[in-house]
């Protein structure tokens, strides 16, 4: 069974997460993805090292299903190689500020001079235009500027989320945009530019809270792990660990009341609806905390599951890897990589298609692993490739 994007070639100039993960997902769908990297290696190769030569965990996840060519696009002969590659490509992925794209000749206008029907998927920190258009930024910057970090943690101490949800959300949004552009190209033969930015993703994710502020002017502050609009929604300590409970809506509230034996609260005006319960969240959490303090994690989870209350254990990373459901569902694919002494658990494609081949097909590439192969395909001979290496073009 072939992947639905078989025959689509993607040139990936992007780095870190938002751009490369888009390329990884398109590779999962069967596209031929070529990572174009600095001759000395991209700076994103070595973050959170796990191998003998320092290759990072993020690189291994973001760059599965790709080939690697080293190339200096600033040199004239490097630009020539880019143009030749471009003529074979359907999509170009970039994540640089607009002025940097122009400098490297990777802006949409310049790319179209070589390939009029090219699709350019561009990811930036703040989008094109506006006062911040040429600023650089990462996931955490978008988190704090969206208001999310202000309402996390405790009052007076903003807290970013360690999971880079803005990067991954942007990657998934740009994947959707790229797929739509490919569909349109197949219909009309025309390319287009797909634009996504980190701040835009963060604002989408946090939009509910921003709507509330704009309409009501409520001026919320951080409530640690509690929800300001429902309760009990919090993390609670048991005798041997922690669990998370989330209750929203009257049916769940009634079941929770029965579970903890707080039936007197059914007629208490402080807890008449979700918003009221959220406003009195400290009181509700204290009741739940006392209930959990008398039980093990297993006992608390069993009782919650019997009452059909959404719950889950607070895991360490190792406990997540060891969880029997995680193992049985095969959320991770073990992938071998040179210099790593055990299989790398790469999170599998986050969606399933019953009639298409969607999967991790191969490990992330070694630096320049496919340079000769790709240059040969473009018509370069062995001596020419050797000369390009000597000149540090590749």
């Amino acid at each position: 069974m072939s992947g639905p994007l078989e025959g689509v070639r993607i040139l990936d100039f992007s780095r870190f997460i938002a751009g490369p993960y888009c390329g990884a997902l398109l590779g999962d769908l069967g596209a031929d993805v070529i990572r174009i990297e600095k001759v000395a290696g991209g700076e994103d190769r070595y973050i959170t090292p796990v191998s003998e030569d320092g290759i990072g965990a993020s690189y291994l996840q973001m760059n599965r299903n790709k080939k690697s060519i080293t190339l200096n696009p600033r040199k004239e002969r490097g630009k020539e190689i880019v143009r030749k590659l471009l003529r074979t490509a359907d999509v170009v992925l970039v994540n640089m500020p607009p002025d940097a794209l122009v400098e490297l000749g990777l802006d949409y206008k310049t790319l179209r001079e070589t390939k009029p029907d090219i699709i350019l998927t561009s990811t930036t920190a703040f989008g094109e235009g506006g006062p911040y258009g040429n600023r650089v930024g990462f996931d955490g910057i978008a988190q704090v500027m969206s208001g999310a970090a202000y309402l996390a943690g405790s009052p007076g101490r903003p807290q970013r989320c360690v999971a880079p949800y803005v990067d991954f959300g942007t990657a998934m949004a740009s994947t959707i945009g790229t797929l739509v552009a490919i569909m349109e190209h197949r219909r009309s033969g025309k390319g287009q530019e797909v634009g996504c930015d980190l701040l835009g993703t963060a604002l989408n994710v946090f939009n509910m809270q921003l709507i509330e502020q704009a309409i009501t002017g409520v001026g919320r502050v951080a409530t640690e792990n509690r929800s300001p609009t429902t309760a009990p929604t919090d993390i609670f300590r048991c005798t041997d660990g922690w669990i998370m409970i989330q209750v929203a809506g009257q049916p769940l509230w009634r079941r929770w009341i029965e579970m903890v034996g707080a039936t007197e609260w059914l007629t208490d005006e402080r807890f008449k609806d979700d918003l009221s319960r959220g406003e009195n969240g400290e009181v509700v959490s204290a009741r739940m905390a006392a209930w959990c303090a008398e039980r093990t994690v297993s006992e608390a989870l069993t009782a919650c599951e019997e009452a059909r209350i959404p719950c889950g254990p607070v895991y360490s990373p190792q406990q997540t890897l060891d969880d029997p459901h995680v193992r049985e569902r095969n959320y991770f694919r073990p992938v071998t990589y040179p210099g790593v002494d055990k299989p790398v658990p790469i999170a599998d494609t986050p969606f399933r298609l019953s009639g298409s081949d969607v999967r991790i097909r191969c490990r992330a590439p070694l630096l320049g692993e496919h340079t000769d192969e790709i240059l040969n395909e473009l018509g370069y001979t062995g001596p020419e490739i050797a000369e390009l290496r000597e000149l540090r073009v590749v």
Side-chain angles (χ1 to χ4, degrees):
M1 185 186 299
S2 61
L5 292 186
E6 184 177 13
V8 173
R9 170 166 280 186
I10 296 169
L11 306 183
D12 185 0
F13 289 87
S14 62
R15 296 293 176 268
F16 296 105
I17 297 176
Y21 189 60
C22 171
L25 292 176
L26 296 171
D28 290 354
L29 288 164
D32 175 26
V33 186
I34 300 175
R35 174 180 162 96
I36 300 172
E37 194 168 356
K38 295 177 182 178
V39 175
E43 57 272 32
D44 62 335
R45 220 170 230 279
Y46 307 104
I47 296 173
T48 316
V50 295
S51 73
E52 294 173 355
D53 55 357
I55 294 300
S58 177
Y59 172 81
L60 295 176
Q61 179 186 9
M62 306 308 151
N63 294 285
R64 80 285 188 110
N65 296 337
K66 298 180 186 180
K67 298 175 181 176
S68 169
I69 177 174
T70 54
L71 179 63
N72 185 345
R74 297 180 184 276
K75 294 189 175 183
E76 192 53 45
R77 294 184 70 177
K79 293 178 181 178
E80 175 187 287
I81 295 171
V82 170
R83 288 192 291 270
K84 288 185 176 182
L85 275 172
L86 189 59
R87 294 187 187 102
T88 73
D90 302 283
V91 180
V92 172
L93 301 181
V94 295
N95 59 345
M96 309 172 200
D99 58 350
L101 292 180
V102 173
E103 181 183 349
L104 291 173
L106 297 176
D107 59 289
Y108 187 49
K109 179 182 177 181
T110 302
L111 293 176
R112 290 187 66 196
E113 293 172 0
T114 300
K115 189 80 175 346
D117 65 340
I118 196 67
I119 296 167
L120 173 64
T121 298
S122 177
T123 301
T124 60
F126 299 102
E128 188 171 355
Y132 311 147
N134 277 308
R135 287 187 184 179
V136 296
F138 285 125
D139 173 283
I141 308 303
Q143 284 191 37
V144 302
M145 291 183 66
S146 72
Y150 180 84
L151 291 188
S154 56
R157 189 173 179 82
Q159 179 72 52
R160 75 170 179 91
C161 178
V162 67
Y165 67 86
V166 176
D167 274 333
F168 279 91
T170 303
M172 292 181 186
S174 59
T175 300
I176 294 169
T178 303
L179 290 172
V180 171
I182 291 170
M183 291 172 62
E184 174 61 23
H185 182 272
R186 290 176 175 175
R187 186 186 70 84
S188 67
K190 296 179 180 179
Q192 60 185 297
E193 185 173 6
V194 178
C196 291
D197 62 272
L198 301 182
L199 183 58
T201 298
L203 296 176
N204 265 273
V205 173
F206 204 61
N207 195 196
M208 177 176 68
Q209 289 80 7
L210 297 172
I211 291 172
E212 182 193 40
Q213 178 61 33
I215 302 303
T216 70
V218 64
R220 294 201 183 279
V221 296
T223 53
E224 298 182 325
N225 290 308
R226 296 193 313 276
S227 166
T229 56
T230 63
T233 294
D234 206 343
I235 293 176
F236 301 97
R237 183 192 288 274
C238 297
T239 59
D240 59 348
W242 300 79
I243 64 170
M244 175 80 187
I245 300 289
Q246 289 189 278
V247 173
Q250 290 303 114
L252 279 174
W253 171 250
R254 288 180 180 276
R255 296 204 296 270
W256 179 82
I257 285 286
E258 292 175 4
M259 183 182 75
V260 300
T263 53
E264 73 277 9
W265 282 2
L266 285 173
T267 56
D268 192 320
E269 283 296 301
R270 293 177 299 169
F271 313 121
K272 64 181 179 179
D273 55 28
D274 279 334
L275 187 58
S276 299
R277 294 190 284 270
E279 290 171 350
N280 292 281
E282 286 189 66
V283 176
V284 180
S285 280
R287 185 71 173 255
M288 187 64 192
W291 184 90
C292 288
E294 299 175 348
R295 292 164 173 80
T296 65
V297 166
S298 177
E299 290 168 343
L301 292 177
T302 297
C304 288
E305 288 166 8
E306 289 175 352
R308 303 296 293 164
I309 302 295
C311 61
V314 177
Y315 278 161
S316 69
Q318 187 60 55
Q319 287 173 311
T320 298
L321 293 169
D322 293 338
D323 182 88
H325 182 80
V326 170
R327 288 179 174 274
E328 186 171 330
R329 287 278 295 137
N330 295 317
Y331 284 110
F332 297 101
R333 294 295 181 190
V335 177
T336 59
Y337 189 87
V340 181
D341 60 5
K342 60 181 69 174
V344 179
I346 305 294
D348 207 355
T349 316
F351 54 85
R352 305 285 187 271
L353 296 176
S354 63
S356 300
D357 184 14
V358 180
R359 60 188 168 88
I360 297 175
R361 302 166 193 278
C362 62
R363 61 165 172 78
L366 302 173
L367 179 62
E369 183 173 352
H370 304 93
T371 298
D372 287 12
E373 172 190 329
I374 293 167
L375 291 178
N376 282 328
E377 178 191 314
L378 296 176
Y380 288 91
T381 65
E384 288 172 327
I385 295 172
E387 181 184 8
L388 291 170
R389 289 189 186 283
E390 186 176 344
L391 295 172
R392 301 287 287 174
V393 174
V394 300

